[in-house]
Amino acid sequence: MTIKTNHPGIPEKNVDRRKFIGNLTKAAGSAMLAFPLVAKAKNILQQPHFWTVGEIMDLFIKEVPGAPFKNTVDTLKAGSRDIKVSGIVTTMFATLEVIQKTIALNANFIIAHEPTFYNHLDDTSWLEHDDVYRFKADLLKKHKIAVWRNHDYIHRLTSDGVRSGVVSRLKWEAYSIKGNPNVFEIPDMDLKRLIAHVKEHLGIDSLRFIGDISQPCKRILLMPGASGGKNQITAITREKPDVLVCGEIQEWETAEYIRDANTKGQKISLVVLGHVASEEPGSEFMAAWINEKVKGVFATHVPAGNSLMSA
């Protein structure tokens, strides 16, 4: 796996500090002899700053309008704010496989977009005697790994971080409608080409859709994730798209609305990407944000992948 880092090197816990300071002192002494002005630098032996989990959380939250939020699911699911960060993994779900890869990377901070313990609030009171929950919780504790869910905050950035990640992967930036970041107008696009495009650029093996594959789909309404049938149908009514591209639906809601709309004579298609596929690029956005803003800590995106397979 290729890991992009700001400062490639060995994580803090593997560094012999005495040897490190000794080497740095020798280097500083040589620099002072060669360049007298360098001797005046006050920070020549300054220790590097080791970020804590809480500092990184606060740094991101500070960029969100109206934050911090009183009611939010964006809390620590494991570990503490005081853990010194050796490396960061961003992902959709902190699955056991993602945790194992985090350990292999010598990282100790996972930033996940969705729940870790199988329900929206990550309530674990009903799981206390469950073997799967206990195995996962104990693994995180054993390796002193912090898990922070970043869902509400990343969506509330001035430009929704998840949507920005998806749009970047789809290469649709140039087609965005001014004043409406969820609507795109792409000339010479039909449903067949649209399906092929999103599958290729989002790495999707299969998806579900409603519509005539030859139908023109110039005006696209993009709604990643699971925004709910009422929100999806309201947006369709307001934006009048040729196609809704979304992450997830309740099958008795939006799909039935689209079916009735077509029977009525309204030409509209629906493309259902799957929840993970539609929002995973938001975790890539998060890794890029960390690599830009949090100097001295490496961050890499580890895809959670889809738990469901197609037969």
Side-chain angles (χ1 to χ4, degrees), residues 28-42:
S30 300
M32 289 175 188
L33 291 173
F35 303 100
L37 289 177
V38 176
K40 297 181 181 179
K42 295 181 180 179

Side-chain angles (χ1 to χ4, degrees), residues 120-136:
H120 183 58
L121 298 178
D122 280 295
D123 171 27
T124 59
S125 60
W126 59 289
L127 292 167
E128 285 301 323
H129 302 292
D130 182 88
D131 290 343
V132 175
Y133 161 71
R134 285 259 50 98
F135 184 88
K136 191 174 194 177

